[in-house]
């Protein structure tokens, strides 16, 4: 018996919070797919640690979204009982792990953004979001350092690691533009000082990314056509597969607890 | 496992101010920076540390277990080196 999806009253603040929560949850689900399979035990642990930071962020954001929404939804329902079209994460974070280089480039692009974003959000007029940002910023700063060091070593490593890292940069570049896009729903929150305008962070993001990429002897693609849709619920085929795994227990045994 | 690109490092953690760094284990990493990151991720996940040292395992010179008689047994019979023959006044409390 399929379990019905929850209904959500998507006010701008609820939608905004769900988008950030979904980014964190989906990336936090992707990374531990490496658990037991990473090239070395040390990275098995490192990637799972990063994932636990992200899942912690997701939980706080989902709980806040539930509180703002004021219905009977909660963090578990948001995670387990929404289908693909109700998820609002960036397309970048749902992309498959691929090889180790692809996982680390995805992490690098996202963490370079998240680090700036959460630092800026510490000044949000929304006290809860500001508090979540303060915690997330420290975590993101480490995620950025971890992935940056890997990008430098993969890019400036062997011929094969360089080729794989460059391939990952070329492949994932088109998913980076969505991080800086703003729609009408979010514009109101930005004007009210509750959210920061991600577009205002793009120059600094590009500076960080360019610095690491060039130290890694890699190059950024010249093509600036960007894929979008995740924020509006239009996802790549990969998210459905991810959710079927993430949600299988709750969909099969509704209300299951450990 | 032979890992020519990721040699072995020994990890030392200081858990609190005033305590010494203590050996907690080892790990594989390509260089010192990566070793420090890996040490953070493997050995300080539960709030164990305030400071980390990583040292290439090859930099450690170890005593030879076969020489333990010569190295350590002579100290065993010299109980007068332990400061257990002093009476500590009660006011001092635990030392």
């Amino acid at each position: 018996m399929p379990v019905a999806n929850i209904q959500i009253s998507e006010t701008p603040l609820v939608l905004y919070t769900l988008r950030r929560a979904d980014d964190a949850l989906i990336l936090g689900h992707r990374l531990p797919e490496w658990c037991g399979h990473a090239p070395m035990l040390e990275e098995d642990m490192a990637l799972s640690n990063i994932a636990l930071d992200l899942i912690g962020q997701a939980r706080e954001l989902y709980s806040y979204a539930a509180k703002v929404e004021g219905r009977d939804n909660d963090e578990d329902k948001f995670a387990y009982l929404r289908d693909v079209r109700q998820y609002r994460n960036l397309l970048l974070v749902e992309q498959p792990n691929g090889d180790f280089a692809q996982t680390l480039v995805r992490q690098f692009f996202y963490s370079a953004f998240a680090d700036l974003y959460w630092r800026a959000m510490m000044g949000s007029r929304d006290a809860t979001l500001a508090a979540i940002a303060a915690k997330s910023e420290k975590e993101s700063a480490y995620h950025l350092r971890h992935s940056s060091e890997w990008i430098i070593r993969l890019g400036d490593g062997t011929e094969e690691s360089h080729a794989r890292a460059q391939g990952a940069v070329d492949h994932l570049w088109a998913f980076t533009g969505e991080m800086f896009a703003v729609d009408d729903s979010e514009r109101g929150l930005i004007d009210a000082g509750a959210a920061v305008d991600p577009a205002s962070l793009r120059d600094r993001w590009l500076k960080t990314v360019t610095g690491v990429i060039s130290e890694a002897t890699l190059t950024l693609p010249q093509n600036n056509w960007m894929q979008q849709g995740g924020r509006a619920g239009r996802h790549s085929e990969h998210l459905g597969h991810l959710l079927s795994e993430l949600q299988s227990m709750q969909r099969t045994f509704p209300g299951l607890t450990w | 496992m032979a890992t020519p690109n990721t040699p072995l490092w020994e990890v030392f953690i200081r858990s609190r101010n005033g305590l010494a760094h203590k050996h907690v284990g080892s790990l594989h990493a390509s260089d010192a920076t990566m070793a420090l990151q890996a040490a953070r991720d493997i050995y300080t996940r539960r709030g164990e540390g305030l400071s980390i040292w990583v040292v290439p395992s090859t930099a450690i010179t170890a005593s030879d277990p076969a020489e333990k008689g010569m190295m350590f047994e002579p100290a065993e019979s010299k109980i007068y080196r332990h400061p257990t023959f002093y009476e500590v006044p009660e006011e001092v409390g635990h030392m």
Side-chain angles (χ1 to χ4, degrees):
Chain A
M1 276 286 284
V3 181
N5 297 319
I6 55 169
Q7 300 295 313
I8 301 158
S9 310
E10 279 188 345
T11 63
L13 184 55
V14 170
L15 179 58
Y16 170 88
T17 310
L18 285 178
R19 284 171 170 173
R20 270 74 209 173
D22 291 347
D23 288 346
L25 179 70
I26 298 303
L27 190 54
H29 185 82
R30 272 286 181 236
L31 290 171
E33 290 173 359
W34 276 110
C35 195
H37 305 277
M40 57 204 293
L41 174 73
E42 288 78 357
E43 285 310 304
D44 221 288
M45 302 275 288
L47 295 176
S48 299
N49 280 353
I50 292 172
L52 286 171
D53 287 342
L54 291 168
I55 289 169
Q57 294 172 13
R59 290 190 61 183
E60 291 183 0
L61 289 161
Y62 283 137
S63 295
Y64 183 52
K67 192 177 151 206
V68 171
E69 191 194 18
R71 295 172 57 143
D72 65 343
N73 289 325
D74 58 26
E75 54 177 311
D76 284 345
K77 287 184 185 172
F78 283 133
Y80 294 127
L81 298 178
R82 284 182 302 150
D83 69 13
V84 172
R85 294 299 297 255
Q86 291 173 297
Y87 264 82
R88 302 310 178 116
N89 56 279
L90 299 165
L91 297 174
L92 175 68
V93 297
E94 73 196 41
Q95 296 310 303
N97 284 339
D99 59 18
F100 191 64
Q102 200 166 314
T103 296
L104 267 296
V105 169
R106 182 186 66 200
Q107 192 64 41
F108 171 62
F109 284 157
Y110 177 77
S111 298
F113 172 75
D115 182 43
L116 289 170
Y117 189 79
W118 291 125
R119 206 182 311 155
M121 277 297 291
M122 288 165 67
S124 167
R125 290 212 183 123
D126 183 310
T128 305
L129 290 176
I132 293 171
K135 178 168 173 285
S136 304
E137 190 276 326
K138 287 189 197 75
E139 295 169 340
S140 301
Y142 182 76
H143 303 169
L144 174 59
R145 178 191 291 191
H146 170 266
S147 53
S148 299
E149 297 290 352
W150 268 111
I151 300 305
I152 291 165
R153 281 158 185 80
L154 291 171
D156 195 15
T158 65
E159 204 175 307
E160 176 163 8
S161 71
H162 178 91
R164 284 173 182 257
Q166 186 62 60
V169 168
D170 295 345
H171 173 65
L172 293 169
W173 181 245
F175 296 106
T176 58
E178 196 177 22
M179 295 190 287
F180 306 99
V182 172
D183 62 6
D184 291 343
S185 161
E186 205 161 309
R187 180 60 60 194
L189 294 171
I190 293 169
D191 293 342
V196 295
D197 187 348
S200 69
L201 306 172
R202 188 162 192 284
D203 286 349
R204 271 182 286 163
W205 177 84
L206 194 59
K207 196 171 166 225
T208 303
V209 167
T210 308
V212 171
I213 289 289
S214 60
E215 190 176 345
T217 72
L218 299 166
T219 51
L220 291 178
Q222 294 303 305
N223 175 11
N224 274 328
W225 181 84
M226 291 292 164
Q227 183 79 51
Q228 292 194 29
R231 290 290 190 226
R234 295 190 307 276
H235 292 278
S236 59
E237 65 176 293
H238 309 295
L239 184 63
H241 294 283
L242 184 153
L243 290 182
S244 70
E245 191 177 320
L246 173 70
Q247 300 181 339
S248 64
M249 294 301 281
Q250 284 299 325
R251 297 284 192 182
T252 313
F253 305 102
L256 175 79
T257 53
W258 290 105
Chain B
M1 191 169 66
T3 52
N5 295 322
T6 52
L8 199 61
W9 299 75
E10 301 301 323
V11 181
F12 300 81
I13 305 275
R14 193 185 70 205
S15 56
R16 279 191 291 138
N17 282 329
L19 293 183
H21 285 73
K22 199 175 162 196
H23 185 241
V24 293
S26 55
L27 52 81
H28 287 278
S30 59
D31 53 58
T33 302
M34 299 304 269
L36 204 54
Q37 281 187 188
R40 181 261 193 199
D41 283 325
I42 294 172
Y43 292 110
T44 67
R45 298 189 308 140
R46 298 180 183 89
E48 293 95 332
L50 285 179
S51 169
I52 304 173
W53 289 349
V54 287
V55 179
S57 301
T58 52
I60 291 177
T61 308
S63 59
D64 182 352
E67 293 180 343
K68 85 175 179 237
M70 174 192 80
M71 294 283 279
F72 306 117
E73 270 178 36
E76 282 174 16
S77 57
K78 300 184 176 59
I79 56 166
Y80 47 83
R81 287 179 180 165
H82 294 275
T84 53
F85 301 96
Y86 301 94
E87 282 183 19
V88 181
E90 262 183 42
E91 303 85 72
V92 174
H94 292 290
M95 275 185 80

